[in-house]
Amino acid sequence: IAVITVLTAFMSGLAIGGFAAGRVADRVSRPLLAYAVLEGAIGLYALIFPWLVDGVVPIYTTLWSMFQLSPTAFAAIQFLLLGIFLLPPTICMGATLPILTRFATQTMEDSGAQVGRLYGANTIGAVLGVAIAGFYLLPNIGLQATTWHTASANLLLCVVAGAMGLSIKG
């Protein structure tokens, strides 16, 4: 159930964020600032997520004890509640590529190459991030420290993109 929940929320969030940002990206006057806000939101959410999970556990355990839910119904409630809590950062993640595309493309002629480069860089970064977190950070420093490190990286990215966005005229 946990894998299904994470995968469903992640893919749904990416789709929702990509769709929503794609519809408004051309109206964003300072895309690097918008990108900075998205990265900052992802980082901050990572920091508060453990407390959100701690807060939702009593909800579904209370529902289970009140209604003596079947294992299937209990799993469905966990899927819905935890999946909803995973959507905000994944929506922000999905919105980053359309916003960066708006920044990187100046003409239709260069858009294919630029989007391809951005998508490639994004994919390589995701693979490296998962590999480093899964095979190095988690086994060596644990879940909490890994969360703090990755959230800090998002917040640093927020600061750098925000500084660049402020230095570039819209």
Side-chain angles (χ1 to χ4, degrees), residues 31-111:
L32 273 182
L33 287 178
Y35 175 75
V37 168
L38 291 168
E39 289 295 342
I42 294 164
L44 291 174
Y45 202 88
L47 293 176
I48 66 166
F49 188 73
W51 289 286
L52 292 174
V53 170
D54 287 345
V56 80
V57 170
I59 295 170
Y60 64 74
T61 55
T62 299
L63 288 171
W64 178 80
S65 65
M66 285 176 58
F67 300 108
Q68 297 300 305
L69 299 171
S70 70
T72 303
F74 183 64
I77 287 176
Q78 286 179 304
F79 172 84
L80 289 172
L81 287 174
L82 294 169
I84 288 167
F85 279 98
L86 288 169
L87 281 177
T90 59
I91 289 171
C92 290
M93 290 173 200
T96 59
L97 191 61
I99 295 298
L100 281 179
T101 298
R102 168 67 175 89
F103 169 73
T105 57
Q106 306 304 317
T107 66
M108 283 302 279
E109 290 78 32
D110 72 343
S111 64

Side-chain angles (χ1 to χ4, degrees), residues 10-27:
F10 188 76
M11 298 309 283
S12 298
L14 290 180
I16 293 165
F19 179 77
R23 297 189 47 88
V24 301
D26 286 339
R27 296 190 297 264

